[in-house]
Amino acid sequence: QVQLVESGGGLVQAGGSLRLSCAVSGRIFSINDMAWYRQAPEKQRELVASITSGGSPNYVDSVKGRFTISRDNAKNTVYLQMNSLKAEDTAVYYCYAKVAKFRGIYYPDSWGQGTQVTVSS
């Protein structure tokens, strides 16, 4: 009933930039929190950035000052602008959304398929 489609991943040199997008579609009453996670090989999935329905962001310390999370509620889309990329940012990035089908009634946590970000060193 809910689908998250990610785009924007790819290969970039250290110091470069990428912008990830994640569009939510389906039967949507509202979307609460949205977030970006990442997972490197043999590592646990890590919360990178989150944003509330009102637009208040939070970031993991390692990306503060370099990444910016934003959302367009009219388009049901969340973005992650990644600047000054480092080799350590290489991972599969996953979009997350908490979606309500009606007031107070939520779908199970929704995830995108993941998009590969590779930063060459």
Side-chain angles (χ1 to χ4, degrees), residues 10-23:
L11 174 65
V12 65
Q13 292 183 328
S17 298
L18 286 173
R19 192 190 196 202
L20 307 183
S21 299
C22 175

Side-chain angles (χ1 to χ4, degrees), residues 1 7 10 13 15 19 22 25 27 33 36 41 47 53 55-56 59-60 65-68 75-76 94 106-107 111 120:
Q1 292 183 285
S7 62
Q13 292 183 328
R19 192 190 196 202
C22 175
S25 62
R27 192 176 188 275
D33 291 351
W36 289 95
L47 176 62
S53 60
S56 181
Y59 303 93
V60 67
R66 300 188 298 119
F67 290 11
T68 302
K75 297 180 178 180
N76 294 327
Y94 296 91
Y106 293 89
Y107 293 103
W111 294 89
S120 61

Side-chain angles (χ1 to χ4, degrees), residues 26-46:
R27 192 176 188 275
I28 301 167
F29 179 79
S30 64
I31 303 177
N32 197 347
D33 291 351
M34 305 182 84
W36 289 95
Y37 290 73
R38 67 186 179 188
Q39 188 168 18
E42 302 181 12
K43 298 288 187 180
Q44 294 291 317
R45 187 170 295 189
E46 173 189 36

